[in-house]
Amino acid sequence: MATETPPPSKAQTRLPSSEEFTEVQQGPEFAELRHSYRSFAFPLTVGFIAWYLLYVLLSNYAGDFMGTKVVGNINVALVLGLAQFLTTFLIAWWYAHHAAAKLDPKAEAIKSRMEGDA
């Protein structure tokens, strides 16, 4: 399977002025896009940082708990450490799906309107 990029388009796109950018940035459509992004990204960021800090604090101050054997030589610290990687990938996957469903269509509509395609 080839992953070649298509040749650049010969059609000229209109470049918006800085006043047009400012107008769109202050408009309700952009505000809705910004709200959709922030209402998803900020809570997940805060949640993940709290989860990471919990892991660090447990590692520093709850050594006996973190050293508890789960199965064989696998302890709680290893399980929680691997869960950090798992949650990182799950958040990235979830964000990609959220962006494709909610953010990209709104951003594309704004871009098309600004470039004069709409």
Side-chain angles (χ1 to χ4, degrees):
M1 178 172 163
T3 57
E4 297 177 18
T5 57
S9 173
K10 302 246 188 229
Q12 292 290 330
T13 57
R14 184 182 75 79
L15 296 176
S17 67
S18 59
E19 292 81 18
E20 289 172 307
F21 276 112
T22 302
E23 181 182 324
V24 167
Q25 183 182 13
Q26 295 171 352
E29 193 176 19
F30 190 79
E32 182 183 337
L33 174 62
R34 188 172 46 235
H35 175 74
S36 294
Y37 169 74
R38 288 179 178 175
S39 66
F40 184 86
F42 288 174
L44 269 179
T45 301
V46 169
F48 185 78
I49 290 172
W51 157 231
Y52 175 74
L53 290 176
L54 174 67
Y55 176 73
V56 171
L57 290 172
L58 286 173
S59 295
N60 284 321
Y61 300 110
D64 292 338
F65 169 70
M66 295 296 270
T68 303
K69 302 276 187 194
V70 177
V71 175
N73 286 332
I74 298 173
N75 60 17
V76 172
L78 180 63
V79 171
L80 293 179
L82 292 174
Q84 291 284 317
F85 287 101
L86 179 63
T87 54
T88 300
F89 289 114
L90 286 175
I91 288 170
W93 172 81
W94 191 14
Y95 176 77
H97 283 276
H98 172 74
K102 305 251 169 125
L103 304 178
D104 293 348
K106 292 175 186 176
E108 187 61 37
I110 293 171
K111 178 183 175 231
S112 294
R113 192 179 76 246
M114 289 195 71
E115 290 179 349
D117 297 340

